[in-house]
Amino acid sequence: MPETRSVHLPVLYFGTPVALITTVNPDGTSNISPISSAWSLGSRYMLGLGSGGQALANLRRVPDLVVNLPSSDLVSSVEAIAPTTGRFPVPADKHPAYRHEADKWTLGGLTPVASERVAADRVDECPVQIEARAVQIIDIDGGDAVAVEAEVLQVHAHETILRDDHSDRVDTERWRPLYYSFRHYFAQGAHVGANFRAPLLDEDARV
Ligand SMILES: Cc1cc2nc3c(=O)[nH]c(=O)nc-3n(C[C@H](O)[C@H](O)[C@H](O)COP(=O)(O)O)c2cc1C
């Protein structure tokens, strides 16, 4: 084993999917917030949000949201909207890194499509769109951030990423989600094995 030492890593983002969170602006349009602090557990989706962003301001007014999961080929759209915030004026803790942008859709070349169960629009280009509603917002880190517990209401998936057997499962060979690791973007790497509960595609995939 290599030697280890105690370190102070400035970022502990080892790699999580990028999610584009859409929320409802005061004028009824939808804001898009790129995040990667997002994970699913049963019927819930948990989001980590900075307290100074438009996403949280919107959710405190209207709890509706969509978790839109982009493919790796949408990286340019994500990075185009990355230095922006829907907040106006830009809060002090986001200045000067971020500028205000009221229409992130045009900036990112993204298309809004109406949701079925929530007021926030979905991002048409994202192969997975999860309609959800915030049921609990918990202050963390002394109030600098919040953890949002969202109830999943409806999930949409592009036909092109689903298995042919109509089993309502994603075909992992057909989708390359976008991942964020230490402020860099990655596509999915090589397939290195299958969990014992994975539907069998190829017996050789067993570890
Ligand atoms: C790939 C990526 C991942 C990010 N992850 C998070 C995150 O998990 N939580 C968060 O609050 N902000 C995250 N950010 C920063 C927000 O996108 C940024 O604060 C943005 O201004 C939010 O937009 P809004 O103020 O319009 O909501 C991330 C940004 C990028 C580009």
Side-chain angles (χ1 to χ4, degrees), residues 85-155:
T85 174
R87 281 289 292 277
F88 186 82
V90 178
D93 62 344
K94 280 180 166 284
H95 197 76
Y98 294 88
R99 67 176 193 278
H100 170 69
E101 175 57 59
D103 178 11
K104 299 191 196 179
W105 298 92
T106 304
L107 185 62
L110 299 168
T111 315
V113 57
S115 291
E116 293 180 11
R117 304 275 302 275
V118 299
D121 289 334
R122 296 176 278 149
V123 178
D124 211 10
E125 287 77 6
C126 288
V128 174
Q129 306 146 2
I130 303 166
E131 297 185 26
R133 184 162 290 136
V135 292
Q136 194 179 181
I137 299 177
I138 306 155
D139 274 343
I140 56 174
D141 203 9
D144 286 348
V146 300
V148 177
E149 176 190 344
E151 178 186 7
V152 173
L153 299 174
Q154 189 160 345
V155 181

Side-chain angles (χ1 to χ4, degrees), residues 13 16-21 23 25 31-38 47-58 78-79 81-87 91 94 98-99 101 104 144-146 178-181 183-185:
Y13 269 151
T16 40
V18 173
L20 299 177
I21 306 300
T23 53
N25 287 319
N31 184 56
I32 313 172
S33 310
I35 72 166
S36 67
S37 179
L47 313 175
L49 294 179
S51 56
Q54 183 71 12
L56 179 59
N58 283 346
V78 173
E79 189 53 20
I81 65 173
T84 70
T85 174
R87 281 289 292 277
K94 280 180 166 284
Y98 294 88
R99 67 176 193 278
E101 175 57 59
K104 299 191 196 179
D144 286 348
V146 300
L178 179 63
Y179 293 98
Y180 197 47
S181 175
R183 299 212 165 115
H184 290 263
Y185 299 101

